[in-house]
Amino acid sequence: MAIGKLYIGRKVRDLREAKRMTQGQFAERIGISTSYLNQIENNQRPVSAAVLLALAEKFQIDIAELSSGESDRLLSALSEALSDPLFETYSPSLQELKLVTQNAPGLAHALIACHQAYRRNSEQLASIDDTIGRGASFVETTPYEEVRDFFHFVDNYVHEIDTVAEALAGELGLGDGDNHAALASYLEERHGVRVVRGAAGDEAIRRFDPRARILTINPYAPAATRDFQLALQIAQLHAREEIDRVAGSAGFRTEEAYEICRIGLQNYFAGALILPYRPFLKAARELRHDIELLAGRFGASLEQVCHRLSTLQRPGQKGIPIFFARIDRAGNITKRHSAAKLQFARFGAACPLWNVHQAFETPGRIIRQLAETPDGVRYLCLATQITKGGGGYRAAHPRYALALGCEISYADAFVYADDMDLGNRAAFDPIGISCRICERTKCASRAVPPLKRKLIVDHDMRGALPYRLSER
């Protein structure tokens, strides 16, 4: 078996920790020295073909799972950063970028962080003329972006939090869709927290009084939302140590990022408690990823189901590699994660040719699309609109579109693909990631030119766009 140099230290470490084994135990199991395993986990040495085979044999995992995933996300982020005109004097090849992300992922992360800082400073300088004299201050979004990238690069799966939630779900008998009584009883019996109904007119969905040990839940919120808020309160009480440890080990630069991450991990725990990993993965396979049936079985919302599907990346027990995003009516991506090759743009809006935008025109329906990205990879794309809120006529009811999908090789696992012509390449719509990095030269829906293409302006001819793009 011939392979190139493969640096997969994080994946090997995650697998070992998932099995609750020391480095010595794990090294002995696969027949290597402890020092060699330590070097592999720290990306100081690549894994050999023999080690890959031993991992597959001893732990019943797919070798392909070990050689993809994080490097694809890192490659996408690095490629987008280097597409900035700042780097126009040097355009690395795809092979060079792969070498960096595989052999020096720390360097790639550092370069991405530098580019983010450069963009923020540039945007602030560009807006000084507009803000000075009006007393406006800059809104620093760095902590949020930092946390978003944390979840992105851990594959949107946090093993320590997920397993604690799954164990508690088993203890409480959760997973049959009727969770409210069990969650409320647990809070009262184990933590002395009494759950009460909120008063009419109180806009808070959840309000906790730590002194009185009273948790107030908005009775007008959807049932799935009420259960999720109970689970979130349990996360704060039951899994605080684990959550603080994970957030603390992330090395965030600011206290704000640390606190935002704690909220994200609390939400993660709540989702994992209501939708416990192995029962949910089994149901997803049995129901062929029918998100409405999954929501009904587990008493969850469509968004909770879609988000949970994107987290099924446990080493040795992975689900289908799925992409998931939530988009507002302006096209902003407010949530994003992809375990597939499709990686969402870190800046700018989503491609206008993507079916997710059509979801706002057909509320209540799940829209299907066969799509192909510029790199030739084909996808099954699903989209549906959801409405948030509750609480009556005067309450806010923001609307979002949920996007979910997979590479076409996995489409048979989805009920939505049954009557689609997957073998007909002409049935696939050409889409991009975002206009600023899309290399398609002929697209009438383009909003802005790609960063790395020169514009050709012909004053004597006008097409769908006021310019043409150079081929190189």
Side-chain angles (χ1 to χ4, degrees):
M1 177 181 178
I3 61 170
K5 289 185 177 181
L6 194 60
Y7 292 82
I8 52 173
R10 171 176 283 179
K11 294 192 175 187
V12 173
R13 182 171 62 252
D14 287 347
L15 175 61
R16 175 177 63 79
E17 291 176 349
K19 301 297 181 181
R20 301 185 182 278
M21 300 173 71
T22 65
Q23 281 192 334
Q25 293 169 332
F26 194 84
E28 182 179 1
R29 184 78 176 273
I30 59 177
I32 62 174
S33 68
T34 304
S35 61
Y36 181 23
L37 175 61
N38 183 63
Q39 289 175 318
I40 288 175
E41 290 191 356
N42 288 284
N43 281 327
Q44 295 172 352
R45 290 181 65 179
V47 295
S48 64
V51 171
L52 274 180
L53 291 173
L55 289 169
E57 177 184 354
K58 301 296 184 181
F59 299 103
Q60 292 78 50
I61 59 176
D62 185 353
I63 291 179
E65 291 183 1
L66 291 172
S67 59
S68 62
E70 181 183 0
S71 61
D72 290 336
R73 290 184 293 281
L74 191 56
L75 178 63
S76 174
L78 182 61
S79 177
E80 183 176 357
L82 293 179
S83 69
D84 194 295
L86 174 69
F87 302 104
E88 63 183 356
T89 57
Y90 177 64
S91 181
S93 67
L94 180 61
Q95 184 60 32
E96 288 176 305
L97 293 179
K98 287 183 177 179
L99 286 173
V100 172
T101 55
Q102 291 176 0
N103 298 342
L107 176 62
H109 280 290
L111 183 56
I112 292 167
C114 288
H115 179 252
Q116 287 179 319
Y118 164 78
R119 278 184 57 88
R120 286 193 298 271
N121 290 338
S122 297
E123 290 167 357
Q124 289 181 357
L125 289 172
S127 62
I128 284 178
D129 287 342
D130 186 49
T131 58
I132 203 163
R134 293 187 297 161
S137 61
F138 298 121
V139 178
E140 180 59 72
T141 58
T142 305
Y144 178 79
E145 293 174 354
E146 195 176 359
V147 173
R148 184 174 62 180
D149 285 346
F150 163 77
F151 281 99
H152 183 62
F153 287 115
V154 300
D155 213 8
N156 207 28
Y157 173 76
V158 186
H159 185 76
E160 184 174 2
I161 306 299
D162 209 297
T163 51
V164 171
E166 184 181 23
L168 182 58
E171 179 184 337
L172 301 182
L174 303 180
D176 61 357
D178 186 14
N179 302 319
H180 189 87
L183 294 170
S185 295
Y186 172 80
L187 279 169
E188 184 163 9
E189 294 171 5
R190 295 287 187 90
H191 298 283
V193 173
R194 186 162 58 93
V195 179
V196 300
R197 292 165 56 92
D202 187 351
E203 296 182 356
I205 300 174
R206 176 182 65 90
R207 192 187 303 277
F208 179 56
D209 183 339
R211 291 187 176 181
R213 309 297 284 179
I214 294 177
L215 175 63
T216 303
I217 297 293
N218 189 325
Y220 302 105
T225 300
R226 297 198 302 270
D227 287 353
F228 189 88
Q229 294 304 318
L230 292 179
L232 191 147
Q233 188 63 55
I234 291 174
Q236 294 182 355
L237 300 171
H238 179 83
R240 178 166 185 167
E241 290 184 7
E242 290 82 0
I243 288 171
D244 289 351
R245 184 161 52 248
V246 172
S249 66
F252 293 117
R253 291 172 293 177
T254 64
E255 183 68 18
E256 291 95 331
Y258 170 76
E259 293 298 338
I260 292 171
C261 184
R262 290 184 67 227
I263 292 175
L265 291 171
Q266 291 165 8
N267 285 325
Y268 185 100
F269 179 96
L273 182 61
I274 292 172
L275 304 167
Y277 195 99
R278 282 174 291 186
F280 184 74
L281 175 61
K282 181 181 178 182
R285 289 169 174 168
E286 290 176 353
L287 299 176
R288 301 185 61 219
H289 298 84
D290 188 314
I291 59 175
E292 292 170 302
L293 293 182
L294 285 168
R297 176 176 293 192
F298 288 90
S301 69
L302 290 182
E303 182 176 352
Q304 290 167 5
V305 166
C306 291
H307 199 161
R308 186 55 167 155
L309 285 172
S310 76
T311 69
L312 299 181
Q313 296 298 301
R314 180 176 295 181
Q317 301 177 57
K318 288 193 175 185
I320 299 294
I322 284 172
F323 65 79
F324 164 70
R326 189 182 71 184
I327 295 91
D328 66 17
R329 288 185 63 84
N332 300 306
I333 300 177
T334 59
K335 285 185 179 181
R336 63 175 174 89
H337 176 68
S338 179
K341 290 182 180 178
L342 176 68
Q343 300 298 321
F344 301 106
R346 297 159 67 82
F347 308 104
C351 174
L353 300 179
W354 194 18
N355 71 333
V356 67
H357 303 288
Q358 300 173 20
F360 292 107
E361 303 168 9
T362 54
R365 290 183 52 197
I366 295 177
I367 304 172
R368 305 176 300 169
Q369 180 186 36
L370 297 178
E372 182 175 338
T373 48
D375 57 4
V377 181
R378 293 175 293 161
Y379 298 91
L380 168 66
C381 301
L382 310 171
T384 189
Q385 181 198 278
I386 61 168
T387 301
K388 293 277 197 175
Y393 173 73
R394 298 190 182 279
H397 296 88
R399 291 188 290 167
Y400 297 95
L402 304 179
L404 187 76
C406 66
E407 293 175 34
I408 209 65
S409 58
Y410 298 100
D412 288 344
F414 285 72
V415 66
Y416 307 101
D418 283 352
D419 58 348
M420 303 187 79
D421 192 1
L422 305 182
N424 179 11
R425 197 140 201 156
F428 288 77
D429 298 326
I431 67 169
I433 303 302
S434 77
C435 290
R436 67 186 298 276
I437 59 173
C438 179
E439 292 295 311
R440 294 192 190 278
T441 58
K442 298 178 181 179
C443 178
S445 298
R446 179 177 288 282
V448 295
L451 290 173
K452 285 204 165 185
R453 290 293 181 93
K454 291 184 178 180
L455 302 186
I456 301 173
V457 179
D458 187 343
H459 294 279
D460 298 321
M461 191 274 290
R462 169 63 193 256
L465 298 174
Y467 54 80
R468 289 182 293 117
L469 301 175
S470 65
E471 294 297 328
R472 298 183 62 185

